Amino acid sequence: MELLFLGTGAADRKNLPQDTDFLNKDHRRCSCALINGSIMIDCGPHALNSLSVAGVSLYDITDIIVTHRHSDHFDIENINKIASCGGVRLWLRSGGSVDDCLAEINFMELFKPYNIGSLNVTAVPANHEQNSFPQHLCITDGDKKLLYALDGAWVLNESAEYLKRREFNAIVIDTTIGDYSGDMRLGEHNSIPMVRLIVDSMRTLKIINESSRIILSHIACCLHKSYEETCKIVAKDGFIVGFDGMRIDI
């Protein structure tokens, strides 16, 4: 399972110019990822340009899975541009409506598995603004397992119960907030100190194990230090600091 990060930034990057250097690790476009060259997770304001820079054709995209419907993750104009190139399926948590969408819409029920391309995907509820219909994604290709957990703070009880003993090979975890305590976003986003606590508890619950890779993403540039400084801060934890253009084989 190959994961390409098309963006690793937070909502503070929504107005970042489209032509901003994709390979600059401190610029960070809005969070978006691509699995196996064809399945997107989220499609925000920078998604099309990021795909172009990465050399991915819009015609290669078969599915778009939405973590939640905030505008830095869900840009209907960009989704429609991809959908106009072929039969694209849009997957998002059930609830509310999606207007003027050209893609084939598939509403996902929580805790129910779906076959999406070569992947099996199950959504669990996330601790984020509920009117955005947030969900974290449990993704497997039958061999490797990935937990994609953007956006959200901590882990909800019902989600933790589902995730127990699954021992994901990797987790992409919300780290909107930097290396400090006392931020007002306690109920919707994680800080680096919060991630440390979450990871320790996840190991206790066997959601992950000692060899699981912990990848930090959804990094608000206005709340973090530089990429290099952040890498030094989490070096002792063994965390991987995500950056735009990073490729990882799960």
Side-chain angles (χ1 to χ4, degrees):
M1 190 193 307
E2 183 193 67
L3 184 64
L4 167 62
F5 288 87
L6 299 171
T8 54
D12 64 327
R13 310 308 278 168
K14 282 193 298 185
N15 296 322
L16 191 74
Q18 293 287 334
D19 59 354
T20 300
D21 185 2
F22 182 58
L23 299 179
N24 187 314
K25 294 178 181 178
D26 286 317
H27 282 167
R28 299 195 182 281
R29 300 171 177 212
C30 290
S31 290
C32 178
L34 185 67
I35 299 179
N36 295 342
S38 63
I39 300 173
M40 291 182 68
I41 302 178
D42 291 332
C43 182
H46 303 106
L48 299 193
N49 187 262
S50 294
L51 286 169
S52 176
V53 174
V56 179
S57 170
L58 300 187
Y59 290 93
D60 292 336
I61 306 303
T62 60
D63 298 88
I64 301 170
I65 312 171
V66 178
T67 60
H68 64 296
R69 300 184 211 177
H70 283 159
S71 60
D72 55 319
H73 296 256
F74 183 75
D75 186 309
I76 193 65
E77 290 186 9
N78 280 345
I79 290 170
N80 283 342
K81 287 177 182 177
I82 295 174
S84 67
C85 295
V88 172
R89 299 183 296 176
L90 180 68
W91 302 84
L92 65 173
R93 180 174 168 179
S94 60
S97 61
V98 180
D99 297 324
D100 303 319
C101 183
L102 301 179
E104 174 193 315
I105 298 174
N106 296 268
F107 287 111
M108 304 172 70
E109 299 296 329
L110 297 172
F111 303 109
K112 180 179 177 179
Y114 294 87
N115 291 320
I116 302 178
S118 61
L119 305 176
N120 186 271
V121 182
T122 303
V124 299
N127 185 23
H128 198 53
E129 194 269 311
Q130 289 302 300
N131 287 336
S132 68
F133 305 100
Q135 57 183 5
H136 292 330
L137 305 172
C138 308
I139 303 169
T140 179
D141 62 359
D143 180 27
K144 299 296 184 178
K145 291 180 287 186
L146 166 69
L147 176 59
Y148 193 90
L150 309 181
D151 295 4
W154 304 110
V155 179
L156 294 172
N157 179 65
E158 56 188 326
S159 298
E161 288 298 318
Y162 177 85
L163 298 172
K164 278 182 181 178
R165 295 179 292 278
R166 294 187 182 271
E167 295 193 354
F168 289 88
N169 299 97
I171 174 173
V172 178
I173 190 166
D174 182 289
T175 319
T176 302
I177 307 163
D179 187 32
Y180 63 92
S181 301
D183 192 274
M184 65 179 180
R185 300 165 184 85
L186 170 73
E188 60 177 345
H189 290 296
N190 298 322
S191 65
I192 290 176
M194 291 165 67
V195 171
R196 292 187 179 113
L197 294 172
I198 293 168
V199 166
D200 285 345
S201 293
M202 282 185 167
R203 289 189 178 122
T204 298
L205 296 172
K206 295 186 178 180
I207 295 172
I208 56 176
N209 56 43
E210 292 301 324
S211 63
S212 302
R213 284 180 286 182
I214 314 302
I215 305 162
L216 310 184
S217 189
H218 204 266
I219 293 170
C221 295
C222 64
L223 302 175
H224 278 263
K225 296 181 179 178
S226 70
Y227 170 79
E228 289 189 2
E229 290 175 291
T230 303
C231 287
K232 292 177 183 177
I233 289 168
V234 301
K236 64 180 183 300
D237 305 292
F239 300 161
I240 299 169
V241 182
F243 57 88
D244 298 4
M246 182 171 72
R247 294 179 186 266
I248 287 186
D249 287 323
I250 304 301

